[in-house]
Each structure stands twice: as structure tokens, then as C-alpha cells.
């Protein structure tokens, strides 16, 4: 039987395994030195001033939103094509997600679709850009609009560790926050760096990062200024065993075990990026002569993107995509659809008219993510590409 190819999967080396085992043999399983080392390493890769690790990408979004001030009754603009978590993290805080359309070819929120959403929802004081598939949004264009309209902009970079944002004639790492209040990452197994579960937020602003640090761990601090007098010693200092809670927080820490794995994976990020880019190029070459059947979403910005997914758009539309999905699965190739537009979910019913998100509907109806991960072989990619092309050629015959 042909080997099963998932759309994404982790890669693991002996060095990864040894790194985890070392922590297991040691004294610190959580809140230890590997957590700090991982945060430092991620800040270095992203050129961010501050990094706060958390238990997953969803927690990262929620802590970022909350630390930055989003609260009950606020409105946040979210692109219609993203994973549920981008919006849910705001909904948990009692805020209301409203939706921006996306470009039908890239799936990204653009300055044009963002401007339309700002016009539609003038009450929105927050917005989040999603670097879908790993490709950066036009952050400079989005930030100009956000600034002009008094909107605080965040980045959901769950797909985009190692990618770069173009700005004027420069490129800046995603996560540096050159154009936003903070960026969130996920280290789920299908991501470029995997920790089982894991997440992180990068910040420019020290005070917001500090609030995030408190929020991830019960809101506990050693703030002697607000401490009850019974917690102070004779010199007015906090007793050494005391903790102070000014605001309730969550428990969304990531462990040293996970961070040891993350550090080991981060160390080979440049290699991982190269391999993923090679796979993308091989797919693109295979599809180059079949433009009437397949549009590879990864046909632009290859050099500045760490592709997390390899989506194609089926030019023949919805029925072709649905049939191709089934045909691939019959051949033990497991594609995925990223994503169902959020306004189609029952929970968001009535939040936006479908005619306000034509780009998102068009992208959704044609998109299909093909296998992309480090362990794929050139033969695997040829097998997937052959299956796609052969099927679509027959499907599209008059
Ligand atoms: C765009 C996007 N944002 C946020 C998340 C949430 O990350 P996690 O699964 O680590 O909670 C994901 C997860 O896949 C995602 O794809």
C-alpha cells in the first residue's frame, strides 16, 4: 500500500530527543532555565525586544489581546480566512470579532480589504493581521491605515516563524513588531518549530510584555507597593515567601520539557526553511505548465516566506476542489482545507453578509493544502503533483 502523506507533520532528530531527556533527568520541569533560554532564542530569531512563552498559540493570542488592553465590549477586526483561535481569543475576553475580506488569490487581508472593514466597523479599536500559510501581510500598508484610524494592530504569526515582512526596500523578520503591538506564534506539531503544544508572544513594549508575563501565571507578582501590610517585613519589604495578585491571571505556562524541544528545533530553523522552500519550488515547477488547472498560492514572495502550508487553488472551482480532496484521500494523500471562512460558523451567524467577503468565499471554495513538511521526499512530491494534475485534467475534460 502506498505510504500515507499527511498535509503536515513534525520532524524530530536524536538531538531533539536528547534535549528533552536531559530536562527530564534534571530538577526543572517548568518555570526553569530552558523556558528563559527559549524566549531569548526566539527574541533573537525575530529581532524582538521581548518574548513571553505560553502553552499554545491560542493562549498567546488571548494573552496578547488582554495585555494590550482589549476587553469586554471592544470590537476587533479579524480576516475572514483564519483559524478559529484568532477570533475566539478575543471572544473569550468578551470582545466582538468582526470580519474583513481577504484577497482571493493569497487569502491575506490587504490594505484595501482592511480599509473596507474599517469603514464598515468604525467602532473597531483593534485589528489582527494573519500571515496565512506563512506569507506576511503588507504590514506597512495595514499599519498606516490602523494608525490613521486609531486602531491597534496585532499579528497572528502562528504560520510565519522565519518569514519576513517587506517594508520599503527592506525586509524585517515577522515577530519584530515593526508595524504592530505584538505577534503570536504557535509550536503545534505541524508548525515549522514544534514543541507538542506551545506558543509565544513577542513585543516591542516592555510594560505590555510584563503584563503578559503576569497574565500567563495567575497574575502573581512581588509588587510590594500594593501588598497588604501583613505581607511586609519590618523594613517594608515583601516577605520572601509572599506573592501579590493585582489582577487575576491564567495558568498558560509552557514547560521546560517543551522548551528544550523548541530550542533544539529552533537551532536548525535555517535548514528547515531551506528544505521547505525547496519542496515549494519543486511543487511550483510541477504545476508551472498547468496554470489553467492549478494556481499555487506560494508563487510569490518565496524568498521571504517560510511556507507553513502549500495551498493550491483549483481553477475549475468548488466542485473540482471537493472531488480532488476525495481523490487524493483515496490515494492515501491527506490534504486539508485552510480555512472555512469564520463567518460561516454558526457562532458567528449574522455578523457579516456573505457579499461583504467575496474574496474569502472564492479562496475557500478553491483552496486545498497539499503535503508540506521536512520529511517529504522529491518522489513524494512528484506522486502528489502527478495525482493532482492527472485528476484535474480528467475532471476538466469537456
Ligand atoms: C492562524 C492560527 N492562529 C492561531 C492558532 C492557534 O495555535 P495553537 O493550535 O497553538 O493554539 C493556529 C493553530 O493552528 C493558527 O493556524
Amino acid at each position: 500500500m502506498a505510504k500515507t502523506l499527511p498535509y503536515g507533520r513534525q520532524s524530530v532528530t536524536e538531538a531533539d530527543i536528547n534535549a528533552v531527556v536531559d530536562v527530564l533527568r534534571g530538577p526543572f520541569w517548568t518555570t526553569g532555565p530552558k523556558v528563559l533560554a527559549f524566549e531569548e532564542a526566539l527574541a533573537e530569531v525575530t529581532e524582538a525586544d521581548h518574548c513571553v512563552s505560553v502553552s499554545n498559540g491560542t493562549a498567546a493570542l488571548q494573552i496578547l489581546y488582554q495585555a494590550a488592553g482589549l476587553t469586554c465590549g471592544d470590537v476587533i477586526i479579524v480576516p475572514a480566512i483564519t483559524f478559529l483561535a484568532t477570533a475566539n481569543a478575543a471572544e473569550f475576553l468578551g470582545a466582538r470579532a468582526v470580519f474583513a475580506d481577504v484577497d482571493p488569490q493569497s487569502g491575506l487581508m490587504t490594505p484595501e480589504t482592511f480599509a473596507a472593514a474599517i469603514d464598515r466597523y468604525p467602532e473597531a479599536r483593534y485589528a489582527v493581521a494573519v500571515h496565512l500559510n506563512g506569507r506576511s501581510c503588507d504590514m506597512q500598508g495595514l499599519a498606516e491605515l490602523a494608525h490613521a484610524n486609531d486602531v491597534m494592530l496585532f499579528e497572528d504569526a502562528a504560520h510565519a516563524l522565519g518569514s519576513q515582512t517587506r517594508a520599503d526596500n527592506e525586509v524585517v523578520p515577522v515577530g519584530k513588531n515593526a508595524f504592530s503591538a505584538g505577534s503570536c506564534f504557535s509550536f503545534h506539531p505541524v508548525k515549522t518549530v514544534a514543541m507538542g503544544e506551545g506558543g509565544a508572544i513577542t513585543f516591542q513594549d516592555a510594560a505590555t510584555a510584563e503584563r503578559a508575563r503576569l497574565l500567563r501565571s495567575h497574575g502573581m507578582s512581588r509588587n510590594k507597593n500594593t501588598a497588604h501590610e501583613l505581607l511586609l517585613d519590618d523594613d517594608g519589604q515583601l516577605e520572601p515567601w509572599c506573592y501579590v495578585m493585582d489582577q487575576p491571571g491564567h495558568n498558560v505556562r509552557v514547560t521546560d520539557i517543551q522548551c528544550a524541544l523548541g530550542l533544539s528545533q529552533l537551532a536548525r530553523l535555517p535548514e528547515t526553511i531551506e528544505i521547505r522552500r525547496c519542496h515549494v519550488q519543486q511543487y511550483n515547477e510541477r504545476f508551472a505548465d498547468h496554470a489553467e488547472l492549478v494556481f499555487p498560492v506560494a508563487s510569490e514572495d518565496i524568498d521571504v516566506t517560510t511556507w507553513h502550508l502549500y495551498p493550491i487553488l483549483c481553477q475549475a472551482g468548488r466542485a473540482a476542489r471537493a472531488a480532488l480532496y476525495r481523490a487524493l484521500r483515496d490515494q492515501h494523500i491527506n490534504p486539508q482545507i485552510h480555512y472555512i471562512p469564520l463567518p460561516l460558523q454558526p457562532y458567528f451567524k449574522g455578523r457579516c453578509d456573505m457579499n461583504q467577503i467575496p474574496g474569502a468565499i472564492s479562496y475557500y471554495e478553491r483552496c486545498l493544502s497539499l503535503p508540506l513538511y521536512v520529511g517529504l521526499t522529491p518522489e513524494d512530491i512528484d506522486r502528489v503533483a502527478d495525482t493532482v494534475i492527472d485528476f484535474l485534467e480528467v475532471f476538466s475534460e469537456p
Side-chain angles (χ1 to χ4, degrees):
M1 195 177 80
K3 123 174 136 180
T4 299
L5 302 178
Y7 80 89
R9 64 172 300 174
Q10 68 270 24
S11 81
V12 69
T13 63
E14 282 306 309
D16 292 344
I17 293 166
N18 292 336
V20 170
V21 170
D22 279 351
V23 175
L24 288 175
R25 293 191 201 285
F28 294 108
W29 283 13
T30 191
T31 61
K34 292 294 177 195
V35 173
L36 289 177
F38 179 71
E39 290 176 346
E40 274 169 25
L42 195 67
E44 199 177 316
V45 166
T46 55
E47 295 180 15
D49 292 334
H50 308 278
C51 176
V52 178
S53 60
V54 290
S55 53
N56 54 59
T58 309
L61 286 160
Q62 188 175 348
I63 298 283
L64 168 63
Y65 294 164
Q66 195 174 356
L70 182 95
T71 189
C72 206
D74 282 332
V75 173
I76 180 168
I77 295 173
V78 176
I81 295 282
T82 182
F83 184 53
L84 301 168
T86 318
N88 287 354
E91 298 278 330
F92 297 148
L93 296 170
R96 182 177 166 81
V98 293
F99 299 105
D101 199 12
V102 299
D103 176 79
Q105 296 297 95
S106 69
L108 298 175
M109 183 166 77
T110 63
E112 293 71 30
T113 63
F114 186 39
I118 290 174
D119 278 352
R120 218 166 31 244
Y121 308 106
E123 68 280 21
R125 297 276 67 83
Y126 298 88
V128 54
V130 177
H131 304 311
L132 189 74
N133 307 318
R135 183 176 173 194
S136 173
C137 296
D138 171 1
M139 286 306 297
Q140 196 169 15
L142 297 180
E144 274 165 23
L145 281 162
H147 185 70
N149 290 281
D150 195 20
V151 169
M152 186 184 280
L153 188 59
F154 305 117
E155 295 176 66
D156 180 341
H159 295 186
L161 178 61
S163 291
Q164 292 167 309
T165 298
R166 290 188 200 281
D168 294 328
N169 296 325
E170 270 191 304
V171 289
V172 291
V174 167
K176 185 178 166 81
N177 304 311
F179 301 102
S180 74
S183 300
C184 291
F185 294 93
S186 161
F187 308 111
H188 178 274
V190 294
K191 302 298 193 298
T192 303
V193 161
M195 290 162 50
E197 296 282 355
I201 319 156
T202 59
F203 299 91
Q204 261 190 352
D205 178 48
T208 319
E210 192 44 39
R211 277 198 297 282
R213 251 178 225 113
L214 292 176
L215 283 168
R216 84 169 158 190
S217 190
H218 306 283
M220 286 159 71
S221 76
R222 288 195 37 90
N223 178 9
K224 69 173 183 177
N225 299 326
T226 57
H228 192 281
E229 61 190 34
L230 289 177
L231 305 187
L232 303 177
D233 64 16
D234 293 345
D235 297 329
Q237 299 302 315
L238 202 61
E239 297 284 13
W241 60 85
C242 284
Y243 46 85
V244 175
M245 188 190 80
D246 292 297
Q247 188 193 355
H250 311 263
N251 178 359
V252 288
R253 296 181 306 267
V254 68
T255 64
D256 283 64
I257 305 165
Q258 290 161 303
C259 286
L261 179 56
L263 267 172
S264 178
Q265 297 233 332
L266 255 187
R268 61 173 188 279
L269 181 62
E271 212 178 304
T272 304
I273 294 174
E274 236 4 84
I275 296 170
R276 282 178 171 268
R277 222 166 257 167
C278 254
H279 290 347
V280 164
Q281 264 152 356
Q282 188 186 341
Y283 271 128
N284 283 355
E285 279 162 24
R286 291 298 319 272
F287 293 131
D289 293 335
H290 302 278
E292 74 295 351
L293 301 175
V294 170
F295 174 77
V297 176
S299 46
E300 278 183 72
D301 282 345
I302 299 190
D303 51 329
V304 291
T305 304
T306 303
W307 295 96
H308 156 57
L309 298 170
Y310 186 82
I312 54 166
L313 301 181
C314 290
Q315 302 289 41
R318 183 183 166 149
R321 193 278 304 271
L324 176 60
Y325 177 94
R326 290 180 177 86
L328 286 167
R329 289 194 67 104
D330 288 347
Q331 298 301 318
H332 308 283
I333 297 167
N334 294 341
Q336 187 53 278
I337 309 297
H338 297 95
Y339 289 99
I340 299 167
L342 296 193
L344 296 189
Q345 297 298 344
Y347 175 80
F348 293 119
K349 200 171 164 197
R351 293 252 178 131
C352 96
D353 286 342
M354 293 308 122
N355 62 18
Q356 290 169 336
I357 53 162
I361 301 289
S362 165
Y363 185 87
Y364 162 65
E365 289 188 335
R366 295 174 299 141
C367 72
L368 186 89
S369 301
L370 299 178
L372 180 65
Y373 49 89
V374 164
L376 274 183
T377 64
E379 295 72 32
D380 293 333
I381 294 175
D382 276 338
R383 184 181 138 210
V384 176
D386 285 341
T387 313
V388 169
I389 294 164
D390 291 351
F391 178 83
L392 288 177
E393 275 176 347
V394 173
F395 188 89
S396 304
E397 272 170 11

